[in-house]
Amino acid sequence: DLTRFHFIRSFKQAAGIPPHQFMIRLRVDRAKEMLSEGNLSIAEVASQTGFGSPIQLTRAFRRVVGTTPSAFRRDML
């Protein structure tokens, strides 16, 4: 029974980050797992992790991880 504002504020106090950033980090973490397996393209990983395009995945990935998905995969292999 919280308003949207109160939910966001409470979530941020508990988790340290807003819910939207939390969800993006979860999706990027899943993308990292999928990229380390190495059998899917960046576009397939983007689609399966809920990003609208490989570009959106790359932007979020770079913000969270500090590198691109391609560079991450290269470094993992």
Side-chain angles (χ1 to χ4, degrees):
D1 273 346
L2 297 176
T3 65
R4 181 176 180 218
F5 173 77
H6 288 297
F7 169 74
I8 292 170
R9 187 176 60 185
S10 298
F11 189 95
K12 187 173 180 180
Q13 287 176 343
I17 58 174
H20 181 70
Q21 287 181 359
F22 181 82
M23 292 304 297
I24 288 174
R25 286 186 185 187
L26 283 178
R27 291 164 53 200
V28 167
D29 286 345
R30 179 66 182 130
K32 284 169 54 178
E33 291 173 12
M34 295 171 83
L35 289 167
S36 65
E37 293 169 2
N39 39 345
L40 296 174
S41 71
I42 304 287
E44 291 172 322
V45 170
S47 175
Q48 291 186 19
T49 54
F51 291 97
S53 70
I55 293 169
Q56 287 180 337
L57 170 62
T58 300
R59 286 181 184 150
F61 201 92
R62 187 175 298 170
R63 272 194 307 270
V64 173
V65 180
T67 187
T68 63
S70 302
F72 177 82
R73 176 179 275 168
R74 230 184 354 260
D75 293 341
M76 290 299 294
L77 299 176

